[in-house]
């Protein structure tokens, strides 16, 4: 089998909560990556397996599902991969992970896989819990019954993971005999199913009987089918009068009837009376009154942790990069390259790094909530609320995740099976204040309200989160009224047992998400900083130098050398391409209270909003990360940071002498940044998740239009002081 | 006419009843795959705080179901 030279592919399968991801992490550790899934536009996780003998294989983590009759788009991936031998992820062998403490509920998909005829290994996971609960398992019986390798493992303690590898290698080294794997071994087809299968196999080059049956069931949506194949299948289903839904239920019930006695003979479970720990915890956490209260308390704590976390870590990162910039600046001769580095690349880099602790902390807290099993309860509690806004209880997971970063949050909506609910969730999640907005808010709030107390500013900061949430729910409500779908909508969700977090899982999640953020958003921010530097340092022939000499002759004598340099830099910027562009759009943003400099920041923020601070630094020609200020800054409370930038901003004036940054402008900017769609990564991911450019373009226009309108409204209403 | 079955909505908190059938074919596929089968004992643990959904237990598995989903599970009287 491994003659072809290509590495073998092994797929991990299992029901949700079987511990599949945990086993995947055990098997691959850091040797994993999230790859793009061609065609279906979905990510699957892939890792490298190394067998004791040195043989290597690709391990593919398919989404958890209860059966090959899927309802949501992540479950559909499993069926789409396993019924298409041409699929790049079509596996050479399968490892099925079952939760042995609920084996009677985890065998359905397993028996379906048996019938698919691929080499299969059964891993009975959670052997540690089973031992604790006094459950005895007769694996030999399962081996005899199914004639495949069966191993008891624990993803948590790592028990028997090596043995699993060993058995798996034996399995894939076995040459399968050619006739094996084409007929049903577990489920006997009914007469009608047999006819359908025969007709499918007669018309299409399909060997396996169950695969043929699945094609007949799913011909309507399987993405790899050609038009003609789809028509053939559809004709077969029609002529045989094959009722797919009914046949699915009958098959499922039949499978249960067959494997339930087998499981009974395999498992010995002591009788337990009284409630388990999970029951007692849920009596409080899903309580009619305490449940929602505790949820809001938990959310409040998460976002307080973010706010105060930024307070400390933001300073560290700024210090560290500040020292770096100083070192580079002092040790390099002054030329275009050092300028690009110090004023373009490094501030951009800092713009990325400043978020890393934030993102990491948020993902840490969110993945702990998921890992212990709390998220499923939040879904249960808020399903009704979310439906009122046209979404699904599962949307709450995306909305919470959107507080860290909309990109992974939007990818997580695949568990929502109803297209409309999912689309609405995708459309409104970017309204939730993500961590990229934190530094923008921290600069703008004190600019808008320079004299208010610390607590007022903190309240406004918190208010920005509610504002974002309100915008998300409001927009969702409007979409609910407009969009139509006939898709069925499900809650049907398993509430897993509460468990202590398995820290390896948590760290790996955080690591993976942070890496994706730095690579994805980081690249964009980095490129924008460089582009901005180029636009800000070049202009029409001689324009920059002319501007400089004019300032020097007009102002010499009346200013200190330092002030003169600042003035020169400002005039050069005004004459540069960046300045020309900014001035060009000034008429469009003047009604919101913005000048051309803000215009430049706005434009560059459309790629990624976190560019705002870096752009402002560049525009006000500060060495944005000069260590001098930032060392001083690290000892300051959040709203006192960015002091020099804020001073420059506060002093800035329009041509007619009015101050630019008044209360009205400051609040207008805050509103704009809360509502506008300023993130290319999000648009790209929306394109991938919705399948075409229509939705991201629409999202961009409606969010930015809304931002413009509300920014204009507050600017018009508020006093310009 | 007297109904010959109940649904989860008729159960009191922590009351159990035997499922006899799952009606709606679209939902039945999903529910049976998750382990809600005719012949299993279903316990209503509690309704959702804001209503509209139920927290149930089936053979040691805990599920959250909407009213519509719960309504297609017919229970013994
Ligand atoms: N006691 C015990 N817990 C485990 C074991 N394996 C996984 N878990 C826990 O079971 C829970 C679910 O594990 P996951 O690995 O996330 O399960 P999954 O099948 O990937 O679930 P989804 O991510 O929902 O598809 C987590 O809290 C794990 O820590 C095990 O062998 N023993």
């Amino acid at each position: 089998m491994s003659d072809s030279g290509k590495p073998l592919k092994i797929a991990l399968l299992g029901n949700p909560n079987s511990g599949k991801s945990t086993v995947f992490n055990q098997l691959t550790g850091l040797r994993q990556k999230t790859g793009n899934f061609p065609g279906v536009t979905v990510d699957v996780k892939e890792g490298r397996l190394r067998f004791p003998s040195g043989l290597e294989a690709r391990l593919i983590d398919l989404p958890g599902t209860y059966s090959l009759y899927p309802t949501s788009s992540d479950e559909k991936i499993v069926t789409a991969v396993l019924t298409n031998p041409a699929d790049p992820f079509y596996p050479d062998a399968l490892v099925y992970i079952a939760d042995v403490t609920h084996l009677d509920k985890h065998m359905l998909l397993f028996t379906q896989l048996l019938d698919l005829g691929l080499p299969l290994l059964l891993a009975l996971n959670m052997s540690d819990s089973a031992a604790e609960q006094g459950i005895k398992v007769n694996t030999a019986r399962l081996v005899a019954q199914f004639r495949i390798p069966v191993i008891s493992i624990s993803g948590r303690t790592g028990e028997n993971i090596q043995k699993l590898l060993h058995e798996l290698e034996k399995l894939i080294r076995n040459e399968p005999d050619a006739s094996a794997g084409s007929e049903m071994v577990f489920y006997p087809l009914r007469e009608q199913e047999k006819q359908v299968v025969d007709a499918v196999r007669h018309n299409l080059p399909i060997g396996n009987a169950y695969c043929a049956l699945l094609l007949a069931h799913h011909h309507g949506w399987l993405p790899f089918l050609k038009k003609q194949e789809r028509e053939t299948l559809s004709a077969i289903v029609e002529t045989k009068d094959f009722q797919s839904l009914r046949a699915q239920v009958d098959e499922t019930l039949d499978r249960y009837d067959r494997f339930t006695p087998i499981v009974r003979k395999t498992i010995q479970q002591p009788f337990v009376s009284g409630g388990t720990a999970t029951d007692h915890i849920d009596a409080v956490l899903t309580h009619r009154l305490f449940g929602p209260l505790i949820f809001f308390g938990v959310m409040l704590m998460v976002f307080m942790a973010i706010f105060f976390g930024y307070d400390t870590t933001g300073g560290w990162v700024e210090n560290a990069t500040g020292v770096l910039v100083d070192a580079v600046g002092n040790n390099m001769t002054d030329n275009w390259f050092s300028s690009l580095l110090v004023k373009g690349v490094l501030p951009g880099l800092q713009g990325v790094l400043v978020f890393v602790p934030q993102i990491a902390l948020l993902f840490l807290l969110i993945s702990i909530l998921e890992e212990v099993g709390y998220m499923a309860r939040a879904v249960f509690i808020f399903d009704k609320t979310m439906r009122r806004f046209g979404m699904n209880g599962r949307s709450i997971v995306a909305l919470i995740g959107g507080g860290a970063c909309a990109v992974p949050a939007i990818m997580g909506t695949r568990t929502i099976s109803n297209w409309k609910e999912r689309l609405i969730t995708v459309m409104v999640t970017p309204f939730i204040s993500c961590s990229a907005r934190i530094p923008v808010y921290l600069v703008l709030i004190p600019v808008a309200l320079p004299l208010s107390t610390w607590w007022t500013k903190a309240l406004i900061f918190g208010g920005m989160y509610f504002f974002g949430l309100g915008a998300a729910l409001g927009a969702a409500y409007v979409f609910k009224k407009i969009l139509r779908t006939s898709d069925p909508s499900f809650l049907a969700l398993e509430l897993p047992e509460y468990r202590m977090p398995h820290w390896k899982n948590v760290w790996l999640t955080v690591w993976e998400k942070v890496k994706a953020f730095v690579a994805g958003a980081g690249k964009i921010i980095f490129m924008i900083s460089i582009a901005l530097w180029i636009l800000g340092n070049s202009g029409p022939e001689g324009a920059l130098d002319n501007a400089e000499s004019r300032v020097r002759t007009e102002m010499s004598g009346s200013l200190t050398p330092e002030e003169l340099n600042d003035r020169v830099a400002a005039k050069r910027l005004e004459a540069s391409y960046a300045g020309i562009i900014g001035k060009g759009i000034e008429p469009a943003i003047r009604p919101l209270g913005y000048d051309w400099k803000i215009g430049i920041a706005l434009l560059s923020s459309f790629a990624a909003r976190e560019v705002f601070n870096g752009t402002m630094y560049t525009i006000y020609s500060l060495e944005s990360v000069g260590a001098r200020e930032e060392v001083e800054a690290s000892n300051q409370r959040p709203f006192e940071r960015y002091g020099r930038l804020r001073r420059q901003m506060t002093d800035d004036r329009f041509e007619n002498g009015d101050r630019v940054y008044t209360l009205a402008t400051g609040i207008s900017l805050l509103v704009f940044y809360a509502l506008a769609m300023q993130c290319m990564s999000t648009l790209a991911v929306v394109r991938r998740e919705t399948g075409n450019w229509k939705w991201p373009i629409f999202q961009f226009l409606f969010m930015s239009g809304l931002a413009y309108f509300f920014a204009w409204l507050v600017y018009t209403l508020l006093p310009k002081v | 006419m007297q109904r010959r079955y109940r649904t989860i909505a008729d159960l009191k908190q922590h009351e159990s009843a035997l499922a006899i059938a799952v009606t709606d074919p679209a939902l039945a596929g999903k529910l049976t795959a998750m382990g809600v089968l005719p012949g299993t004992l279903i316990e209503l643990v509690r309704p959702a705080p804001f209503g509209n959904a139920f927290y149930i237990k089936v053979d040691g598995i805990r599920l959250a179901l909407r009213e519509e989903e719960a309504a297609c599970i017919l229970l013994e009287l």
Side-chain angles (χ1 to χ4, degrees):
Chain A
M1 256 164 101
S2 51
D3 302 340
S4 62
K6 278 212 210 126
L8 287 168
K9 281 167 286 186
I10 318 268
L12 269 188
L13 287 127
N15 288 10
N17 303 311
S18 57
K20 206 166 51 59
S21 314
T22 311
V23 176
F24 179 80
N25 290 342
Q26 282 284 358
L27 287 169
T28 59
L30 283 173
R31 297 184 304 274
Q32 50 176 277
K33 60 170 202 262
T34 306
N36 197 356
F37 202 87
V40 212
T41 62
V42 152
D43 290 307
V44 281
K45 281 209 323 208
E46 190 182 322
R48 248 202 354 261
L49 261 190
R50 182 167 298 140
F51 292 106
S53 71
L55 181 72
E56 290 209 352
R58 291 164 61 191
L59 186 68
I60 293 150
D61 188 18
L62 291 173
T65 179
Y66 292 99
S67 100
L68 293 177
Y69 299 108
T71 49
S72 69
S73 58
D74 63 341
E75 294 170 346
K76 282 181 178 170
I77 297 168
V78 179
T79 310
V81 168
L82 294 181
T83 52
N84 178 20
D87 191 283
F89 289 107
Y90 186 78
D92 299 288
L94 309 173
V95 175
Y96 186 79
I97 310 291
D99 174 356
V100 73
T101 62
H102 295 296
L103 197 58
D104 51 338
K105 296 280 178 273
H106 281 235
M107 291 299 274
L108 175 68
L109 177 60
F110 170 76
T111 67
Q112 293 176 332
L113 298 177
L114 266 181
D115 283 332
L116 272 181
L118 283 161
L120 178 60
L121 183 150
L122 174 58
L124 302 175
N125 192 29
M126 315 232 180
S127 59
D128 56 323
S129 296
E132 241 166 65
Q133 297 172 29
I135 297 173
K136 292 211 171 60
V137 193
N138 185 348
T139 42
R141 202 182 164 97
L142 291 173
V143 176
Q145 180 79 40
F146 299 119
R147 279 175 274 157
I148 58 158
V150 180
I151 304 158
S152 269
I153 62 165
S154 164
R156 192 166 267 245
T157 65
E159 182 198 332
N160 275 350
I161 293 289
Q162 285 307 317
K163 184 157 171 233
L164 172 77
L165 275 174
H166 186 75
E167 288 291 328
L168 185 58
E169 182 171 16
K170 269 206 320 219
L171 180 73
I172 55 181
R173 281 190 187 275
N174 258 351
E175 288 295 325
D177 66 81
S179 68
S182 67
E183 293 316 310
M184 310 292 286
V185 292
F186 188 81
Y187 168 74
L189 294 171
R190 283 154 214 271
E191 190 45 42
Q192 192 197 29
E193 287 168 329
K194 221 177 268 165
Q195 288 178 16
V196 170
V197 165
D198 287 342
V200 173
R201 288 208 280 196
H202 185 72
N203 285 287
L204 297 173
I206 311 272
N208 177 273
Y210 193 46
C211 184
L213 184 65
L214 289 173
L215 288 187
H217 276 296
H218 301 311
H219 68 270
W221 61 267
L222 279 173
F224 58 86
L225 291 175
K226 294 189 194 65
K227 185 162 173 282
Q228 195 213 332
E229 293 172 327
R230 208 181 296 278
E231 281 163 7
T232 312
L233 288 164
S234 162
I236 294 171
V237 167
E238 204 132 304
T239 48
K240 303 283 177 205
D241 190 26
F242 181 56
Q243 305 288 329
S244 174
L245 282 178
R246 161 154 254 135
Q248 287 175 26
V249 177
D250 288 344
E251 179 195 320
T252 301
L253 293 179
D254 213 26
R255 286 181 186 273
Y256 269 103
D257 285 344
R258 293 176 160 265
F259 68 68
T260 306
I262 302 174
V263 172
R264 287 231 177 89
K265 282 183 222 146
T266 312
I267 300 275
Q268 267 183 34
Q269 200 151 9
F271 179 79
V272 274
S273 66
T276 65
T278 298
D279 293 326
H280 298 308
I281 298 170
D282 267 341
V284 180
L285 293 189
T286 62
H287 183 271
R288 152 158 302 196
L289 180 65
F290 301 135
L293 278 181
I294 290 172
F295 175 82
F296 290 119
V298 168
M299 287 301 116
L300 193 67
M301 261 155 46
V302 167
F303 288 98
M304 297 270 275
I306 298 314
F307 181 64
F308 291 106
Y310 189 84
D311 196 5
T312 23
T313 58
W316 297 340
V317 176
E318 279 157 21
N319 279 341
T321 40
V323 170
L324 182 68
V325 171
D326 269 11
V328 174
N330 294 338
N331 289 311
M332 282 178 69
T333 46
D334 215 2
N335 57 21
W336 69 267
F337 183 70
S338 69
S339 161
L340 171 65
L341 212 59
V342 173
K343 294 197 173 144
V345 175
L346 288 173
L349 198 68
Q350 188 201 27
V352 181
L353 292 179
V354 160
F355 297 106
V356 170
Q358 261 3 79
I359 290 256
L361 183 62
L362 260 171
F363 281 132
L364 174 72
L365 297 173
I366 291 172
S367 77
I368 290 175
L369 290 180
E370 270 186 34
E371 179 71 17
V372 299
Y374 184 66
M375 282 299 193
R377 273 70 184 183
V379 171
F380 165 65
I381 294 174
F382 290 101
D383 184 57
K384 165 117 186 251
T385 321
M386 291 289 126
R387 280 181 90 188
R388 195 167 282 164
F389 294 98
M391 294 186 278
N392 187 292
R394 290 174 174 82
S395 307
I396 199 143
V397 180
L399 295 185
I400 295 170
C405 177
V407 172
I410 284 172
M411 295 201 295
T413 59
R414 281 174 208 147
T415 52
I416 303 173
S417 49
N418 179 283
W419 174 82
K420 173 178 166 181
E421 291 174 345
R422 180 164 172 222
L423 184 69
I424 295 180
T425 313
V426 167
M427 294 313 256
V428 306
T429 296
F431 277 125
I432 302 294
S433 279
C434 64
S435 50
R437 288 177 175 100
I438 298 175
V440 181
Y441 292 166
L442 290 184
V443 172
L444 290 177
I445 291 174
V447 165
L449 299 154
L451 301 175
S452 60
T453 60
W454 191 83
W455 277 106
T456 317
K457 289 173 187 148
L459 266 179
I460 293 195
F461 183 84
M464 295 309 293
Y465 279 89
F466 282 100
F467 182 60
L469 181 64
L473 294 181
Y477 191 76
V478 175
F479 284 131
K480 177 191 170 190
K481 296 284 173 205
I482 298 170
L483 293 168
R484 290 274 167 269
T485 177
S486 55
D487 269 12
S489 159
F490 292 106
L491 173 61
L493 175 75
E494 193 174 330
L495 302 169
E497 255 157 73
Y498 289 110
R499 292 178 203 277
M500 285 303 287
H502 183 51
W503 293 105
K504 187 169 178 177
N505 285 353
V506 174
W507 295 130
L508 277 169
T509 313
V510 173
W511 166 248
E512 185 195 308
K513 300 256 158 104
V514 169
K515 212 172 61 175
F517 172 79
V518 171
K523 230 182 289 169
I524 293 173
I525 296 169
F526 191 70
M527 286 184 320
I528 291 290
S529 331
I530 294 181
L532 199 67
W533 179 87
I534 294 173
L535 287 178
N537 281 283
S538 59
E541 190 69 51
L544 267 60
D545 292 335
N546 286 345
E548 172 161 1
S549 51
R550 218 173 315 127
V551 181
R552 287 203 188 277
T553 44
E554 278 171 25
M555 298 289 180
S556 65
S558 62
L559 295 171
T560 64
E562 209 164 286
E563 282 172 325
L564 184 64
N565 279 343
D566 275 358
R567 186 59 68 89
V568 165
K571 284 292 166 191
R572 282 183 71 103
L573 178 73
E574 199 172 339
S576 72
Y577 287 125
I580 294 170
I581 297 171
K583 294 234 156 180
I585 64 162
E586 198 180 54
I589 52 172
R590 192 63 193 81
L592 315 185
Y594 310 156
D595 70 349
W596 62 273
K597 291 179 200 154
I598 303 179
I600 299 173
L602 281 190
L603 275 187
S604 56
S605 296
F606 273 111
R609 51 178 74 83
E610 50 272 44
V611 180
F612 179 80
N613 287 12
T615 309
M616 286 315 233
Y617 270 116
T618 314
I619 290 172
Y620 287 99
S621 70
L622 304 163
E623 304 99 81
S624 62
V625 276
R628 217 171 344 118
E629 178 190 355
E630 300 308 340
V631 168
E632 152 209 350
S634 66
N635 308 322
Q636 293 169 349
R637 310 180 92 173
F639 295 115
E640 288 156 19
R641 225 184 269 139
Y642 309 110
R644 240 166 87 213
L645 174 58
R646 265 188 298 106
R647 248 169 279 137
Q648 293 262 357
M649 288 167 72
T650 318
D651 289 344
D652 206 10
R653 286 173 192 277
F654 285 113
E655 312 261 273
N656 64 11
D658 292 348
R659 276 182 36 228
V660 175
Y661 292 95
T662 57
L663 174 71
T665 307
I667 302 284
S668 159
L669 262 177
L670 278 173
V671 166
F672 193 91
Y673 271 83
L675 298 180
M677 168 40 99
Q678 302 166 297
C679 182
M680 286 197 324
S681 318
T682 303
L683 290 172
V685 90
V686 172
R687 149 84 183 78
R688 269 190 20 202
E689 296 297 315
T690 58
N692 61 44
W693 278 110
K694 181 173 89 185
W695 292 110
I697 290 172
F698 171 70
Q699 184 175 39
F700 176 80
L701 292 177
F702 102 84
M703 287 182 71
S704 305
L706 211 61
Y708 190 93
F709 174 74
F710 278 100
W712 171 79
L713 195 67
V714 293
Y715 181 72
T716 313
L717 295 180
L718 286 173
K720 324 276 178 295
V721 290
Chain B
M1 201 185 87
Q2 191 84 42
R3 275 197 311 177
R4 313 268 283 291
Y5 58 85
R6 299 184 285 177
T7 67
I8 291 171
D10 303 319
L11 295 180
K12 288 194 277 296
Q13 200 165 336
H14 295 299
E15 193 187 0
S16 306
L18 218 52
I20 45 181
V22 187
T23 51
D24 183 318
L27 285 168
K30 176 104 189 158
L31 291 176
T32 48
M34 294 179 83
V36 181
L37 308 165
T40 51
L41 200 60
I42 296 190
E43 177 192 341
L44 171 64
V45 178
R46 67 182 61 83
F50 304 120
N52 206 28
F54 300 107
Y55 179 152
I56 64 165
K57 250 172 131 172
V58 185
D59 282 344
I61 297 264
R62 300 172 177 81
L63 297 178
L65 297 184
R66 282 189 184 154
E67 273 169 3
E68 306 90 287
E69 289 157 358
C72 76
I73 305 171
L74 309 187
L75 305 174
E76 228 176 34
L77 272 183

